[in-house]
Amino acid sequence: GYTVQSVPALPGSYFAANPNPGDNPVIIIVSGADKLKVNRETVMPQLVAQGYSVFYFATYEIVYGPSEPSVKELPTRYVNIPIDELQSVRNWLVDQPGVDENRIGLYGYSRNAAYVLLAATRFDWVNAVASIAPSDVVWEGWGDGVKLGTTSSYAWEGEPLAYVPYSDNWYRETAKFGRGERGRLRTPMEEGRRANPGRVAQARIPIEDYSGALLVAGGEQDDLWSAAHMAQNIAERRAETGLVTELLLFPDAGHTLIGDGQNPVLLLYENDDVRSITAKAQTTTWQTVLTFFESALKTPDGR
C-alpha cells in the first residue's frame, strides 16, 4: 500500500510517494480541484503501481454563480493561471524521500494540456510530457463575470501571456451549457483564430523550445476545441527543428480522452453510439501514456 498526503502549501494538491526503495521517477498531474476524487481513486493508484511517485497539482476550480468552491484558495475563473507556480511543486518534491528529481514527467488534459506544454517550454527540469486534448496556442481567459476579449488564460510571474480571443459567439455557445444542452465552444474559438492571425502568432506555445519526450493526443470530433488539429500543429512545429513527437489522433473520438476507459462517470454523458468509441479511445490513450512514460522516465536513454 501507499499513503496519500495533502500538501498544505499548495491547496487542493496531494502526493503519493511510491513505496519502492530508492529514488522513483515522479509524474505531476496538473489539473483542477479533484472534487470527485476521480484522479485519486483511479489514475493515481495505477501510476503508483507502475513504479512512480505521483503529485496531483490543483491549479483552479471553476465556480459559477453562488456555488461554493471545495478548495477556497484556488482561482475560480480560468484567468491568468500562473505557470510559474509549478516550480513550487518541484521545490517541494526535491525535499521528499524516494523522489528522483532528475526524472519528472507532466500529465495534463484539456486546458491543463496547454498548461503542461507551456511549463515544458520554460522549465529545464521537465523530462517527459503527456498532453492530452491539447492546444497549440494560449486562449483568452473565461469564467463567471469575465468580460469577453479582456483576459488571458495564463500568466508568467504575474504577467498575462499573449492570447487568441474568441468570437462573440462564445456567449451563444456557453448559454447552451446553462440550458443543459451541448455547447460547441470550438466554433467561437476557431472564428477568433481565423480573424486574428497576428495574435495567433504571438500566442503560439513555442513547443520547439522543449527538447524532451512529448506525447500529444486529440480527437477529430472534439466540440470543445480542435484538439486533433492543434496536436498535429504541435508535432509539425517540433519536426521542423528535428524533434520527434508521439502523435495519437482519433478520427471518431471527441474531447474526453482522459482516464483509462473504465470510468463510468466520464462515459455517462455520451450517447450510446459514441460511448464505445470514447471508451476505446480513452483506453488506447491511457495505455499509450503508460508506455510513453515507461520509455521516457525509466529506460537509461529516456532522459
Side-chain angles (χ1 to χ4, degrees):
Y2 65 96
T3 54
V4 178
Q5 64 182 98
S6 60
V7 183
L10 294 157
S13 300
Y14 49 86
F15 175 68
N18 194 284
N20 294 340
D23 289 347
N24 298 289
V26 184
I27 292 175
I28 301 171
I29 300 170
V30 179
S31 194
D34 195 15
K35 276 191 292 203
L36 300 174
K37 296 196 166 47
V38 168
N39 283 285
R40 185 179 293 205
E41 290 170 7
T42 61
V43 173
M44 187 179 258
Q46 291 190 56
L47 291 176
V48 172
Q50 299 281 333
Y52 303 100
S53 291
V54 185
F55 192 104
Y56 184 90
F57 178 41
T59 56
Y60 71 99
E61 180 176 7
I62 297 301
V63 174
Y64 281 103
S67 359
E68 287 294 313
S70 65
V71 181
K72 293 267 187 291
E73 299 88 344
L74 289 177
T76 56
R77 307 183 300 178
Y78 211 79
V79 171
N80 296 339
I81 304 292
I83 302 296
D84 47 291
E85 199 174 321
L86 192 66
Q87 184 63 46
S88 309
V89 176
R90 183 175 185 270
N91 295 348
W92 187 90
L93 283 168
V94 168
D95 295 332
Q96 304 306 308
V99 163
D100 184 349
E101 69 265 24
N102 295 311
R103 289 187 292 163
I104 297 181
L106 304 180
Y107 173 92
Y109 161 70
S110 192
R111 301 277 173 175
N112 296 295
Y115 185 110
V116 295
L117 292 175
L118 284 162
T121 66
R122 289 167 183 265
F123 294 120
D124 60 6
W125 47 261
V126 176
N127 305 102
V129 178
S131 177
I132 310 303
S135 172
D136 62 332
V137 296
V138 173
W139 292 93
E140 75 166 88
W142 56 284
D144 202 11
V146 177
K147 190 164 179 284
L148 202 63
T150 59
T151 62
S152 178
S153 284
Y154 305 104
W156 175 261
E157 294 178 347
E159 288 297 312
L161 299 182
Y163 63 88
V164 180
Y166 311 132
S167 79
D168 289 345
N169 285 325
W170 177 262
Y171 293 123
R172 180 194 69 200
E173 296 303 320
T174 50
K176 290 179 185 173
F177 290 108
R179 298 196 297 269
E181 299 167 24
R182 194 159 188 154
R184 186 179 161 87
L185 298 183
R186 175 175 176 163
T187 303
M189 296 175 92
E190 289 182 346
E191 287 168 349
R193 187 168 189 150
R194 282 198 296 273
N196 296 280
R199 294 187 68 168
V200 173
Q202 292 173 328
R204 191 180 68 76
I205 298 169
I207 195 58
E208 65 281 2
D209 293 351
Y210 166 67
S211 59
L214 177 61
L215 163 69
V216 285
E220 295 278 0
Q221 306 307 316
D222 195 327
D223 277 343
L224 287 182
W225 62 14
S226 48
H229 300 164
M230 296 194 287
Q232 180 80 33
N233 289 348
I234 289 161
E236 289 175 5
R237 189 60 66 137
R238 294 235 310 168
E240 284 171 17
T241 53
L243 296 166
V244 176
T245 306
E246 190 158 350
L247 178 63
L248 190 58
L249 299 180
F250 298 95
D252 300 329
H255 191 72
T256 44
L257 300 179
I258 194 174
D260 56 4
Q262 309 302 313
N263 189 328
V265 176
L266 293 171
L267 297 169
L268 200 61
Y269 302 103
E270 304 284 6
N271 299 329
D272 286 347
D273 53 338
V274 178
R275 194 172 287 132
S276 64
I277 292 170
T278 304
K280 274 186 196 144
Q282 286 176 355
T283 304
T284 302
T285 302
W286 183 242
Q287 292 305 321
T288 307
V289 164
L290 293 180
T291 308
F292 165 77
F293 279 132
E294 178 85 23
S295 163
L297 297 177
K298 291 189 189 173
T299 57
D301 59 349
R303 297 285 167 98

